Amino acid sequence: MAPKQKTKVQATLLSFFGAGAQQTSKATMQPAPTPKAVKTKAPQRTPKATPAKRARKADKPVVQEKPVKAKQPQASVALDDDLLSDFEDEAPTSQPAAVSNNDSSDEEFVVDADEPLEDLDAVLATLSSQPVDRDRPKVDVSPAVSPMPQRGKARTMLDDDEEEDDDEPSQPEETDAVLAGFSPTSPRKARAARRPTVSTGKADKEAATRFPFLVHRKDAKGRRPGDPGFDSNTLLITPDQMASMTNFEQQFWAVKRDHMDTVILFKKGKFYEMFEGDADVGHRELDLRITERVNMRMTGVPESGWERWAAKLLARGYRVGRVEQVETAAQASKGKSKIIKRELIEVLTSGTVVDPDMVPSRSTTFLLALAPDPADTATAPAYGFVLMNASSGLFHMGRVADTPQLDGLRTLLHHSDPREVLVDPTLNSAVIAHMRRRLGRLCSTQTAEDAIAAMNGHPRFAEAEAADAPRQYVPAVVTQYPAATGALGMVYAYLRELKLLDELVANGAWTAYELTTQSGTLQLDVSTLENLAVLTNDDGGSAGTLLEYVDRAKTAMGHRRLRDWVCRPLRGLAEIQERQEVVRAFMEDFGVLQTTVGTLDRVPDVERLVSRALSGKLPLGHFLRLLRAVETCREVRAALESLAGTAIVGEFVAADHWASVDDMLAFFYGAFDVAQAAEGKFIVNDGFHANHDKTRALIAKLESELEDRLADIQVDLPHAKFEHLQAERYQVVVRPDDAVPNDWRLMSRTKAKARYWPADVAPLVRDHAAATDDLKAIQGGLLADVQRDVSRWRGALNGLLDGIATIDILAAFASVALSSTQSVCLPTLLPEVTEPGAASFTATGLTHPSASRASGFIPNDVAIGGAAPSLLLLTGPNLGGKSTLLRQVSLAVILGQIGACVPAAACEFTIADAVLTRCGARDLILSGQSTLHVELSEAARILNTATPNSLAILDELGRGASSTDGHALGFAAVTAIAESGNRAIFATHDHSLVRDVRDSDRIEAYYMACEVPEGSDDIKFFYKLTKGSLNSSFGPNVAKLAGVAQTIVEHAQQLAADRERLEAGTALIAALEHGAGEAFVQTRAAEWVRLMG
C-alpha cells in the first residue's frame, strides 16, 4: 500500500496542529513526484483504513509508492529538531528504542531531504497570533481534566449563562481563608476567570480513564479541594498511575504535579508546548489552537518568541514555568534513558520577572513581603517588610508601626505598586483584609517563622564557623531592621521554590526604606499622594500627574529613580541646593543640555543588564550592548566637563569608578572577538581558556583530515563534494550513476544526485560532531563565566549608574523648565524652624504644573506664615478654584524639595517636613468607614502629627454631620491648627466659621473672586485669590450651570434666603441671651439687618 507523503513543513504543521492543519488546499498538499527520502515509522495507534478513506481524511490523493533503485543499505533517518516535536510512545517493537528529539510520531512520514526548509517560526507565529475572540466559549482552565474532543467534531462548551450538568464534578469555591498557592487571576485587576466544565456523559468516562487523578483531585498529602490545608499547587499521582503512562507522560507529570498553579512551557524540539489544563490557558489567553497528540490535549509556541508569549501570561497574572531539554538526542542515546532528559529550570511570576525583554524598561515590578513584628497589636499594627525588584536585583527592607487606619501600609503600597505580595497568615487580620481587598488573592506558602527555620537549615544560610564571619546571603541591613527578618525568610523561601534564589539573592543590592519623617525626607502619605495626583490620577493613569509633568528622563534608570524622588523629596537644604545648582547650569547652557540629553537617550537599561550579567544569563547580544552602554556613559561624562564646577557634576566627572570602568572594558574586549560577537558568535580569544583552545585545535585537525579524505575520493570521482544536511554533515554527494564502494552507506537519492557516508568518513564525522558539541558547551559556559566577572566591578558600576540616573533627572528638570509656557523659577529655600508660625511660604504668580497645557490659567500671589498669618481660611463659590489653589501650593513645595523649578514667577518657602492633606468626599464601605469618618480620620492625622514645619491643606470638614455639628468640628479644627502654628489652608463653605474666627491674629480670610450681576442667575468666575470673605457659595447659580431646571433654581434661591435670615436672627438672639461681648453682638446684628434688607 502506498505511503502518504508530506513535505517537511506539512509534516511539522500536522504534528503541531493536528487535524486542523489538514485544511490546507490540495495544491499545497500535493506530494513530490517521486519518493526522495526514506521514511521513519511511528507506532500505529489507529485501525487500518482504505486508501480512499485516508485520502479523504488528509484531503490529498493517494500516491503509489515507487521502488528505490539503489540497493545500498538505507539509513533510518530520525526527524530533526527543526521539524517535529512529538510524544515519546512506547511502541511494541523488538528493536531497541531509538532516542531522538521527536521521540515518536503520530503518523508515518516521508522526509524530503532536498526540499528547502521554510521559516517555521514565522508560519506558526502567523497561525497562532490571530486576534482573540473574547465572545467565544471559553475552555476549562480548572485542574479537572476535560474530555478529549473527537477529531473532526466541535467540542461542547457551556455558555456563560448556562448551568452545568448535575452529574458533573465541580470545583469547590475558594474562600478568603485560603492563602496558599497562586491565583491564575491578576492580583492587580482581579480578573474573574470563568471556568465552564464540559459534560458529555461518555466523554466523562473517557477523561476518568485517561487521567483519573485529575477528575478525583487530591493534593500531594491526599487532601481534597475544600479540605483544611488543601494545597492547590500539588497533585497526588500514585505509583501505579505513573507506571501506566508513556515515558513522556511520566516526564511531564513528574514536573506538573508539583506546579499545578503554574503554566508549564515544555521544550520539545523547536517548540515550547503546553498540555491539558495549560493548553486551555494557552487557547483562552493566547488564542492558540488546541490539538490532540497521543493521549493529551496540547498547544504550543515557537522557541524563538517564547518570551513574548510568557510575558502575555505574566501580564494576566499567571505563573509560567519553563522546562528545558538538558541533553541532546546524541547524548541521550549514549545512556540507558529512552527519552531526552528535561528539567524545570525556572518559574516566572509577575513579581519576579528577571528577563529584561519581558519587562517594560520604564516600569518597576516589585514583590512585597510582610511579616508580623513582635510589637504588633490589634489597635497598632506593626510589621516588617521587604520590597524586591527582581529585574534590577534591588532589595529594600523596612519596618512600619502603623495606625489603625493602616496609613503606613497604604502609603507603602502606593509607593511600590507591587505585582505580587507574600503575607504571613499570622499577620494582623486588618492588614490581611486590606491587602485582599486591594490586591485580590495573596500568596503565602508558610509563616515567617517557618520560613526562617527553613532558611537557617539551608546550607547557604548556615551559621559560619567563625564568630566574626558573616552568614551567606544575609545582608547587613537586617541588623537595622530585625522586624523584617521574617519577611526576608519568606522571600528566600519563595525564590527557592521558583529556582531563583542563588541568581537573585547572591547578586542583590540591599538598602533601607523609611516611610517616617525621621527618614530625612519629606513625608507624603497615601492621602496626600492620591489627593494631589502625584503618581496616579483618579482613573489610575498617569495623565495630569506630577510625575508625568517632571518625567523627561531619557534612561530607564532615571525614570525609576525619579519616582522615588517624587515619593520621598529631600529635606536637607544643602542637598536640594546642589540639585538646583545643576538644573540652573543646564538652563544657562542649552548646548550642553542638548548634548547630554541626546547622549543619555542612547543609554539602555544598564541596571537590568548588569543584574542579568551577574547571574550569567545575559544573551550575547545584550552583553555586548551592556559594554557599549558603558562606553556611552563615558560620552555623557565628556559632555559634562564644562559643568564640573557644580558639586554633583564635579563629583560625577572625577569619580574613582571611571578608572575601574576602563579596566572592565579592557578585560572584556580582550576576552572575546567583539566583531564575531556582533554577528552572534561568541569566540573566545586564544590564550583565554586552555580547554577551549584545545577543543578548537581538535576540530581544525578533524576538518583537515576530512578535506584530505575528500581529495582522495575525488581521484576516482572528480565530481564528488561534501554536503551538510541538518545534523548529518559531511555527506559525500556524487552523481546517481557513479559507482561507489560497497562499504559506503546510502543516505538519500534523487534523480540528480546521491548522498553517501563512506565507511572511513563516518568516524571522523562522529568525532567532529562530538568535538563541536564540546566546544559549544565550553563556549556556553564561558559566556556565563565571563559575564559573572562583572561582579569584580559591581561597586564601580553601581556608582556609575547612580550618577547617570541623577544627571538624567536633573537634565529632565531643566528641559521641563525651558519648555514651559508659564513662568517658572528655582525657589529660594529656608531652613526648618522650631517656633510655631515661623515657617513661611510666599509665591508670586503661582500656577499649577498642568497650566502649561491650558490657556488662560490665572496666576495667584500667596503668602502663608512668617510675617503673614499661618492659616489661610478660604471661601468662594463652587467651581471657583479653591481646590486648585490648595493643590498649587502643595505641589510647589514638593517640586521645590526634589530640586525642580516651581511654576511661579518667584517663590520662597521654609523646608517642610510633611505635606498633609484632607480633600474630597469618599467613604470606605468595606472598611466600615463613612464619609464623615474618613474626613475626621484624615483631620486627626493632621492634628496629631503636624509640626511647625508642616504644610496642611483641608478642603472642607464636617460633611455628613448636621450643620451645627459640622460647624463645631470645623471651628475646633481650625483653632487647633492655628494654635499649633504650622502653615495651613482651610477651604470651607461654612461662612459663619469665617465670622467666628475673624479675631484670631493667626488666621486670615481669603476668597476666590467671582461676580453675580444683580437680578441675574449667572455667575462669572475670576479665579483670583482676594483678601476677605464671601457670604455665599452661590450654589443655585452653579446648579444652573449644571443644567438644573430654572424653576428648581429659583425655588432653591428663595429657600436659601429664608434660611439665612432665620439663622441670622437665631444667632443674634442667642448672643443677646448669653451676654456676648458688644462687638460680637454688633456683628450679628449687622448681619441680620443686611439679610432683612
Side-chain angles (χ1 to χ4, degrees):
M1 187 174 295
K4 296 179 289 184
Q5 298 187 22
K6 299 178 178 68
T7 66
K8 290 182 179 180
V9 174
Q10 294 160 3
T12 304
L13 292 178
L14 281 173
S15 170
F16 189 81
F17 291 103
Q22 301 182 25
Q23 304 303 318
T24 46
S25 66
K26 292 184 178 181
T28 303
M29 300 295 288
Q30 185 67 29
T34 59
K36 294 187 272 187
V38 297
K39 55 190 177 182
T40 298
K41 288 190 175 183
Q44 296 181 1
R45 290 183 298 278
T46 56
K48 293 183 179 180
T50 64
K53 286 185 177 180
R54 286 204 305 273
R56 287 195 298 271
K57 181 178 179 181
D59 195 20
K60 59 185 284 185
V62 177
V63 181
Q64 296 297 322
E65 182 179 10
K66 295 184 180 180
V68 179
K69 295 181 181 180
K71 297 183 179 180
Q72 301 291 349
Q74 296 188 5
S76 177
V77 182
L79 297 178
D80 189 73
D81 288 3
D82 291 337
L83 300 178
L84 199 58
S85 52
D86 251 334
F87 288 84
E88 295 83 352
D89 245 354
E90 299 178 48
T93 174
S94 59
Q95 299 296 330
V99 180
S100 64
N101 192 43
N102 44 290
D103 305 315
S104 75
S105 172
D106 261 2
E107 303 184 31
E108 184 177 277
F109 289 96
V110 177
V111 181
D112 184 356
D114 279 343
E115 182 182 356
L117 184 66
E118 298 181 24
D119 185 354
L120 294 182
D121 290 347
V123 173
L124 295 177
T126 301
L127 292 174
S128 60
S129 61
Q130 301 300 318
V132 179
D133 180 5
R134 297 300 180 189
D135 295 327
R136 66 169 182 267
K138 296 185 177 180
V139 180
D140 181 11
V141 297
S142 67
V145 66
S146 298
M148 288 281 290
Q150 299 180 2
R151 290 185 181 272
K153 295 183 180 180
R155 298 179 63 205
T156 304
M157 304 289 179
L158 289 177
D159 292 331
D160 295 342
D161 56 350
E162 291 181 350
E163 297 181 358
E164 300 180 13
D165 292 347
D166 293 336
D167 60 344
E168 178 64 17
S170 59
Q171 299 298 317
E173 294 183 1
E174 296 171 349
T175 65
D176 286 347
V178 179
L179 287 174
F182 183 82
S183 171
T185 57
S186 169
R188 301 184 69 202
K189 298 185 179 178
R191 295 163 53 91
R194 299 185 181 93
R195 295 185 175 184
T197 306
V198 181
S199 179
T200 59
K202 180 180 179 181
D204 287 341
K205 297 179 181 180
E206 180 186 352
T209 302
R210 290 193 302 117
F211 299 121
F213 49 81
L214 290 181
V215 178
H216 307 290
R217 175 78 187 274
K218 295 180 181 179
D219 69 8
K221 294 185 178 180
R223 295 168 297 203
R224 294 184 179 276
D227 290 348
F230 173 73
D231 182 3
S232 62
N233 199 37
T234 63
L235 174 69
L236 178 64
I237 304 177
T238 66
D240 290 342
Q241 291 171 333
M242 189 69 81
S244 67
M245 302 180 193
T246 64
N247 290 331
F248 174 76
E249 290 171 346
Q250 291 178 3
Q251 189 181 60
F252 171 77
W253 287 111
V255 175
K256 184 62 180 176
R257 66 183 175 184
D258 295 325
H259 299 86
M260 292 300 292
D261 285 349
T262 301
V263 178
I264 301 295
L265 299 181
F266 220 85
K267 183 68 174 295
K268 290 178 65 63
K270 295 295 183 182
F271 298 94
Y272 285 100
E273 298 180 355
M274 293 170 275
F275 303 101
E276 291 299 319
D278 296 342
D280 296 333
V281 174
H283 170 67
R284 189 186 74 243
E285 301 291 357
L286 306 178
D287 201 31
L288 301 174
R289 178 169 183 162
I290 293 181
T291 188
E292 312 89 53
R293 305 299 297 162
V294 186
N295 198 37
M296 301 172 75
R297 300 189 328 282
M298 64 155 285
T299 188
V301 298
E303 68 169 351
S304 60
W306 83 272
E307 296 94 344
R308 177 167 59 92
W309 302 101
K312 289 182 178 180
L313 292 173
L314 291 171
R316 289 164 171 79
Y318 292 91
R319 293 166 52 141
V320 179
R322 183 158 65 103
V323 174
E324 283 289 349
Q325 297 175 173
V326 295
E327 65 180 358
T328 64
Q331 292 171 331
S333 64
K334 297 177 183 178
K336 298 181 180 180
S337 175
K338 296 181 180 181
I339 186 172
I340 294 175
K341 186 178 180 181
R342 298 178 175 91
E343 293 179 356
L344 179 69
I345 64 169
E346 65 180 346
V347 178
L348 301 176
T349 68
S350 57
T352 61
V353 182
V354 294
D355 192 329
D357 291 334
M358 300 176 67
V359 185
S361 63
R362 297 177 72 85
S363 68
T364 302
T365 54
F366 277 117
L367 169 76
L368 172 64
L370 297 173
D373 183 270
D376 176 66
T377 65
T379 57
Y383 41 87
F385 68 87
V386 171
L387 271 174
M388 181 190 73
N389 182 356
S391 61
S392 56
L394 298 178
F395 292 77
H396 307 285
M397 298 184 68
R399 176 184 182 273
V400 175
D402 219 337
T403 65
Q405 292 75 34
L406 303 179
D407 295 319
L409 175 63
R410 293 166 57 216
T411 301
L412 179 63
L413 293 176
H414 205 78
H415 279 199
S416 58
D417 189 20
R419 299 299 194 271
E420 251 184 307
V421 178
L422 306 177
V423 295
D424 184 324
T426 65
L427 196 64
N428 186 289
S429 59
V431 174
I432 292 180
H434 178 82
M435 299 291 286
R436 184 173 288 112
R437 284 195 301 270
R438 171 166 174 151
L439 302 173
R441 282 283 300 272
L442 307 177
C443 183
S444 177
T445 56
Q446 54 192 329
T447 66
E449 183 178 356
D450 292 340
I452 294 174
M455 181 179 73
N456 290 334
H458 193 276
R460 291 193 176 275
F461 303 98
E463 292 285 359
E465 295 182 4
D468 58 346
R471 297 170 63 190
Q472 287 183 296
Y473 291 0
V474 179
V477 72
V478 170
T479 60
Q480 185 178 349
Y481 296 102
T485 305
L488 177 64
M490 295 167 62
V491 170
Y492 282 0
Y494 192 55
L495 294 179
R496 186 168 61 249
E497 175 191 342
L498 302 181
K499 300 183 180 297
L500 294 172
L501 178 63
D502 294 345
E503 176 180 345
L504 288 177
V505 178
N507 302 309
W510 298 80
T511 62
Y513 198 93
E514 280 281 2
L515 294 173
T516 64
T517 55
Q518 284 71 38
S519 64
T521 60
L522 173 66
Q523 184 182 8
L524 303 175
D525 61 23
V526 63
S527 297
T528 299
L529 294 171
E530 292 176 346
N531 291 332
L532 301 181
V534 173
L535 301 177
T536 59
N537 56 30
D538 292 339
D539 298 326
S542 61
T545 63
L546 181 65
L547 180 60
E548 186 207 32
Y549 169 71
V550 295
D551 189 7
R552 300 282 184 89
K554 295 299 182 180
T555 68
M557 296 86 71
H559 171 78
R560 291 193 293 268
R561 179 72 58 82
L562 177 59
R563 181 185 177 95
D564 186 60
W565 281 23
V566 169
C567 287
R568 300 189 296 169
L570 297 175
R571 282 173 58 190
L573 178 60
E575 295 176 89
I576 300 172
Q577 289 175 337
E578 286 180 355
R579 291 182 182 179
Q580 290 182 334
E581 183 184 30
V582 179
V583 174
R584 185 180 294 107
F586 273 132
M587 294 172 65
E588 293 173 353
D589 195 333
F590 181 73
V592 173
L593 174 63
Q594 194 173 33
T595 303
T596 302
V597 169
T599 309
L600 287 168
D601 200 24
R602 295 189 283 111
V603 177
D605 195 343
V606 185
E607 194 171 53
R608 286 180 177 169
L609 293 176
V610 168
S611 176
R612 290 297 283 167
L614 290 170
S615 66
K617 295 184 178 181
L618 194 61
L620 177 58
H622 286 62
F623 185 60
L624 196 59
R625 191 181 183 201
L626 167 60
L627 300 180
R628 289 173 174 167
V630 173
E631 292 185 81
T632 306
C633 292
R634 294 190 60 83
E635 296 180 34
V636 175
R637 179 195 185 196
L640 293 170
E641 290 285 354
S642 62
L643 303 186
T646 62
I648 291 177
V649 174
E651 182 180 350
F652 175 75
V653 170
D656 295 336
H657 57 242
W658 290 111
S660 299
V661 166
D662 290 341
D663 292 341
M664 183 190 74
L665 292 176
F667 172 81
F668 287 122
Y669 284 149
F672 60 93
D673 189 326
V674 177
Q676 292 288 335
E679 298 178 3
K681 303 174 183 177
F682 183 68
I683 308 297
V684 177
N685 291 333
D686 292 337
F688 186 80
H689 192 277
N691 197 25
H692 178 270
D693 295 345
K694 179 181 177 181
T695 307
R696 286 181 62 184
L698 175 59
I699 291 174
K701 177 177 177 293
L702 291 171
E703 290 176 348
S704 177
E705 291 179 8
L706 286 166
E707 291 299 329
D708 291 342
R709 183 65 188 100
L710 178 61
D712 294 340
I713 293 173
Q714 288 174 340
V715 173
D716 297 323
L717 300 171
H719 299 289
K721 63 180 181 180
F722 280 140
E723 198 168 275
H724 308 298
L725 295 177
Q726 303 295 340
E728 296 168 344
R729 298 168 59 81
Y730 289 101
Q731 297 185 34
V732 177
V733 179
V734 298
R735 292 181 298 196
D737 54 353
D738 285 341
V740 300
N742 290 333
D743 62 351
W744 282 27
R745 182 184 181 187
L746 176 65
M747 303 303 295
S748 61
R749 179 190 298 274
T750 69
K751 289 183 178 180
K753 54 187 175 183
R755 300 184 183 90
Y756 296 89
W757 256 356
D760 54 351
V761 169
L764 295 175
V765 174
R766 284 193 293 269
D767 291 344
H768 183 275
T772 301
D773 288 343
D774 291 342
L775 182 62
K776 289 180 179 178
I778 292 171
Q779 289 177 336
L782 272 178
L783 177 58
D785 291 341
V786 168
Q787 290 179 17
R788 293 189 185 99
D789 281 330
V790 169
S791 62
R792 295 162 54 184
W793 295 277
R794 177 68 183 270
L797 288 171
N798 286 344
L800 171 64
L801 298 181
D802 182 72
I804 287 292
T806 299
I807 295 297
D808 189 19
I809 295 172
L810 298 178
F813 289 168
S815 298
V816 171
L818 292 175
S819 63
S820 176
T821 59
Q822 304 289 322
S823 295
V824 296
C825 71
L826 286 168
T828 300
L829 300 181
L830 305 174
E832 295 184 28
V833 300
T834 57
E835 293 296 324
S840 64
F841 177 92
T842 59
T844 303
L846 180 67
T847 62
H848 192 279
S850 299
S852 58
R853 300 180 179 178
S855 59
F857 197 97
I858 306 300
N860 275 295
D861 299 341
V862 182
I864 311 171
S870 59
L871 190 148
L872 191 156
L873 190 58
L874 186 61
T875 58
N878 287 287
L879 301 179
K882 298 188 302 297
S883 298
T884 301
L885 182 71
L886 269 60
R887 287 166 173 79
Q888 288 174 223
V889 174
S890 302
L891 293 175
V893 170
I894 296 173
L895 286 170
Q897 291 190 214
I898 65 175
C901 290
V902 170
C907 184
E908 178 184 275
F909 63 85
T910 304
I911 291 176
D913 60 5
V915 175
L916 306 169
T917 64
R918 207 247 56 77
C919 299
R922 67 183 187 279
D923 55 39
L924 299 175
I925 295 299
L926 295 179
S927 299
Q929 299 183 38
S930 65
T931 301
L932 180 61
H933 190 283
V934 172
E935 287 190 9
L936 294 177
S937 296
E938 294 175 345
R941 186 176 63 257
I942 295 173
L943 294 169
N944 295 334
T945 63
T947 72
N949 291 296
S950 302
L951 170 66
I953 63 171
L954 297 91
D955 192 355
E956 288 292 345
L957 183 65
R959 282 173 293 197
S962 66
S963 299
T964 302
D965 289 346
H967 174 80
L969 290 169
F971 180 82
V974 166
T975 53
I977 293 173
E979 289 174 3
S980 69
N982 62 276
R983 291 161 292 183
I985 307 178
F986 191 109
T988 182
H989 290 286
D990 182 359
H991 302 97
S992 60
L993 177 61
V994 180
R995 294 190 295 269
D996 289 349
V997 300
R998 66 174 55 186
D999 293 333
S1000 173
D1001 58 356
R1002 290 189 173 181
I1003 302 174
E1004 188 77 66
Y1006 281 83
Y1007 67 94
M1008 301 306 294
C1010 64
E1011 180 182 69
V1012 178
E1014 187 174 351
S1016 172
D1017 295 329
D1018 298 329
I1019 184 171
K1020 183 177 181 180
F1021 303 108
F1022 295 123
Y1023 307 107
K1024 200 66 178 176
L1025 183 63
T1026 307
K1027 192 172 183 178
S1029 64
L1030 292 179
N1031 296 313
S1032 173
S1033 294
F1034 304 99
N1037 305 76
V1038 177
K1040 180 180 179 181
L1041 292 176
V1044 176
Q1046 182 63 28
T1047 55
I1048 297 177
V1049 170
E1050 292 175 353
H1051 188 200
Q1053 287 175 323
Q1054 183 60 48
L1055 292 175
D1058 293 344
R1059 185 174 183 83
E1060 279 188 293
R1061 286 192 289 269
L1062 176 61
E1063 289 181 349
T1066 302
L1068 176 58
I1069 294 172
L1072 292 171
E1073 289 179 347
H1074 290 84
E1078 182 179 353
F1080 185 81
V1081 172
Q1082 289 179 350
T1083 299
R1084 292 299 187 187
E1087 179 67 13
W1088 182 76
V1089 171
R1090 181 186 67 82
L1091 293 174
M1092 295 300 294

